[in-house]
Amino acid sequence: MGPLNRGVWEGLSAQKKEERLRDLLRYFPTGMKYEGLETFERFGQRIETGVFSYEEQTFVFVPGDRVTLGWDRWQVGMNEETSADLLETVSEYGVEDVDSFLSSQMSPVREVHIAPMLVECRNHPLGWFEVTEAEAMAQESSYFTEELEKFKLSDLNQYELHQEFRLVRQGEAIQIFWFNEDLTLEYLIEEEAKAGFGLLTEEEWEYLYGGGSRTLFPWGDSFDYTMKLKHFGSLEEVEGIVDESIEQNPSLLVENDRPYDLELPNFFGVQFAGDPYNYELTLDASGNMMPKGGDGGAMICGGMGPLVGFLPAAAVYYRDGNAGELEWEGMIDYMNYRRVIRLAGLSV
């Protein structure tokens, strides 16, 4: 096992880690910079690792490991609150066997070796690219000029004309995004490869999200009803979700301006969308699209509430059962992706 694998990496001194991380720069695209060591800790996992920057984007080094991925049984089991919520929710849709229902929503259990890699911390919208105002004007959209002026005078934070353009307010500035209707998966893979990057596989994504966790969620088998989630807000404020007979921890009092919990950096320093309406692009063993981290909002739209509605975004091994029927053209509007550099076989 080499020094870039997790078991060995965790035992290295900070000086040895620095030496190896700086040495990795020769394998990266020109312009990649080493920014230093940083410690990330969440959900009972912790790592000290290297942070890099490239063209204003942040990357982290993630050591490799041999791990078991997938889910088919409980490790600890749900607490009473989660169990009651889950049973009540799914029974309304004719589901009687909760364990079989959950298992059918997850990827199969398998043991894999994940190579060490450099991973982009944040993902990017796949179907949208940022343009200047002048570039947007050159697109000859019959609606853009009028809608931009309206947006400038409005209090809106975001406006989108479906699969054409998107306006996002950032303080005094306005970001303009144009929909990339001609993008194909083959072109994306080819262009990223030319730049020295690859796209995540499903197994790499599951490792990055759960770190090899054997529980349903990265933090355990029970749902966390103190979270703030997109589309629901702070769950403690949603009537009927939190058991009011349970004394609440004062440190968990709701703060409306706090970030969404599932968007925060995890134990590898990697951030995820935390939104079941969005997918993250990964590839299966055959190189085909395998969307992760969402279901297009299907279960939320079905009225299933935060626990079941957020399984696609919160459960480590969720796999959309309809993924094989999904078409690229219909998904790139709400698909994200991130870049990766695999470091298999390196001796540093």
Side-chain angles (χ1 to χ4, degrees):
M1 181 179 292
L4 300 185
N5 283 287
R6 186 154 52 163
V8 178
W9 179 261
E10 291 175 341
L12 296 179
S13 66
Q15 180 180 349
K16 289 294 185 182
K17 289 176 181 174
E18 290 263 10
E19 291 174 359
R20 283 164 172 76
L21 291 167
R22 292 184 185 280
D23 193 47
L24 287 175
L25 283 170
R26 58 195 170 108
Y27 299 103
F28 299 155
T30 302
M32 184 75 73
K33 298 178 181 178
Y34 174 62
E35 301 292 349
L37 285 175
E38 189 169 339
T39 299
F40 299 97
E41 184 171 6
R42 203 169 183 214
F43 307 139
Q45 297 195 55
R46 180 180 184 275
I47 190 171
E48 181 183 52
T49 192
V51 176
F52 295 77
S53 63
Y54 178 77
E55 295 183 347
E56 300 183 352
Q57 300 301 318
T58 304
F59 291 74
V60 288
F61 167 70
V62 176
D65 204 355
R66 178 163 290 280
V67 291
T68 301
L69 303 177
W71 192 94
D72 65 353
R73 68 191 65 184
W74 300 104
Q75 286 297 110
V76 178
M78 299 176 284
N79 61 21
E80 184 176 343
E81 186 179 12
T82 303
S83 179
D85 186 4
L86 181 58
L87 181 59
E88 180 181 357
T89 302
V90 300
S91 63
E92 294 179 5
Y93 296 84
V95 176
E96 297 180 356
D97 188 335
V98 171
D99 290 3
S100 294
F101 166 76
L102 287 174
S103 184
S104 70
Q105 306 289 315
M106 307 297 158
S107 65
V109 174
R110 68 272 193 211
E111 185 173 315
V112 301
H113 177 261
I114 303 295
M117 51 187 160
L118 189 73
V119 181
E120 197 163 17
C121 294
R122 293 176 177 268
N123 54 32
H124 306 279
L126 182 62
W128 300 87
F129 60 96
E130 189 170 1
V131 297
T132 65
E133 185 172 334
E135 289 170 334
M137 294 293 187
Q139 299 290 331
E140 299 182 353
S141 167
S142 57
Y143 298 100
F144 177 74
T145 303
E146 180 182 352
E147 295 302 328
L148 177 61
E149 292 307 312
K150 288 182 183 178
F151 185 77
K152 288 179 178 179
L153 298 173
S154 75
D155 295 327
L156 296 174
N157 290 320
Q158 183 169 316
Y159 172 81
E160 179 182 320
L161 184 61
H162 181 63
Q163 294 195 351
E164 188 163 339
F165 60 82
R166 178 185 293 167
L167 306 174
V168 179
R169 196 179 304 279
Q170 294 285 356
E172 297 297 320
I174 294 176
Q175 288 181 290
I176 304 170
F177 297 89
W178 216 263
F179 187 67
N180 193 357
E181 61 183 356
D182 297 323
L183 181 68
T184 65
L185 178 58
E186 293 75 15
Y187 178 81
L188 176 67
I189 293 174
E190 182 180 337
E191 289 301 299
E192 292 299 345
K194 289 178 182 177
F197 298 98
L199 302 180
L200 289 174
T201 65
E202 180 187 28
E203 293 173 344
E204 289 168 339
W205 190 96
E206 291 182 349
Y207 174 63
L208 290 173
Y209 190 74
S213 168
R214 300 306 307 131
T215 53
L216 184 63
F217 305 107
W219 56 83
D221 279 334
S222 298
F223 196 62
D224 182 355
Y225 292 94
T226 68
M227 291 191 294
K228 180 180 178 181
L229 301 176
K230 284 184 174 178
H231 316 296
F232 288 97
S234 298
L235 297 185
E236 292 164 310
E237 292 185 328
V238 181
E239 184 178 354
I241 290 181
V242 179
D243 187 344
E244 296 179 0
S245 68
I246 299 175
E247 184 177 352
Q248 297 299 311
N249 185 336
S251 68
L252 298 176
L253 291 177
V254 176
E255 295 183 14
N256 291 327
D257 60 348
R258 84 181 210 241
Y260 294 109
D261 289 87
L262 294 180
E263 291 183 356
L264 295 172
N266 72 356
F267 38 79
F268 285 135
V270 178
Q271 294 177 256
F272 295 85
D275 182 352
Y277 280 90
N278 287 281
Y279 291 98
E280 181 162 342
L281 173 64
T282 76
L283 305 177
D284 64 16
S286 301
N288 298 316
M289 175 181 68
M290 175 58 72
K292 299 291 288 185
D295 67 344
M299 288 199 277
I300 285 184
C301 288
M304 287 194 167
L307 169 56
V308 178
F310 263 80
L311 274 179
V316 180
Y317 303 109
Y318 179 85
R319 178 190 281 179
D320 191 339
N322 298 316
E325 303 172 11
L326 300 174
E327 296 183 359
W328 172 263
E329 293 78 8
M331 294 191 65
I332 59 174
D333 191 1
Y334 45 94
M335 181 93 80
N336 301 307
Y337 79 102
R338 76 180 77 230
R339 295 170 292 179
V340 59
I341 299 176
R342 297 177 183 87
L343 304 170
L346 299 185
S347 56
V348 296

